[in-house]
Structure formats: structure tokens, C-alpha cells
């Protein structure tokens, strides 16, 4: 299967065979060009490493993603 992982300055998107699995806004800004991802050897686990922007005033995030409109915090 084809997996696509895309990092934006404040977003993460993961697609599998063209179907979105994750498409969320991050809790804070990242340096997209320094973010990475890897699949486990058995291809059952996706590891995502986010490189947070140093100049971010809120360096500690309460959670990786911003709550969506239908979620409570």
C-alpha cells in the first residue's frame, strides 16, 4: 500500500492509498522540512517526529493536535 505523510507549518496529513487517515492542525508550529516519519519493520506502526519551532512561545504542548470543533478539551 502507498502511504503519504505531509507536514505543514502547523498541520499533519497521513494518507493510505489516497484515503486520508489523519488530517489535523497541530497544537503549535513546526519546521516542516525537519519533521520525519518511519514505518516499523513489520509495517504496523507509524512513528512521526515533529520538529517544533524554537521561537514558539508555548514550547510545551498540552497535546499534539488542536481539538476539532466536535471535540472537548
Amino acid at each position: 500500500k502507498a502511504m503519504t505523510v505531509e507536514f505543514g507549518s502547523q498541520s499533519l496529513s497521513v494518507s493510505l492509498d489516497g484515503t486520508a487517515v489523519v488530517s489535523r492542525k497541530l497544537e503549535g508550529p513546526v519546521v516542516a522540512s525537519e519533521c520525519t516519519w518511519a514505518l516499523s519493520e513489520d509495517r504496523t506502526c507509524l512513528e512521526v517526529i515533529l520538529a517544533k519551532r524554537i521561537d514558539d512561545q508555548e514550547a510545551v504542548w498540552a497535546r499534539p493536535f488542536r481539538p476539532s470543533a466536535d471535540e472537548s478539551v
Side-chain angles (χ1 to χ4, degrees), residues 3-32:
M3 178 173 285
T4 304
V5 179
E6 295 179 353
F7 301 99
S9 62
Q10 291 192 335
S11 64
L12 170 67
S13 298
V14 179
S15 299
L16 186 58
D17 287 334
T19 302
V21 178
V22 174
S23 184
R24 300 284 304 267
K25 290 194 179 270
L26 297 171
E27 182 70 8
V30 297
V31 181

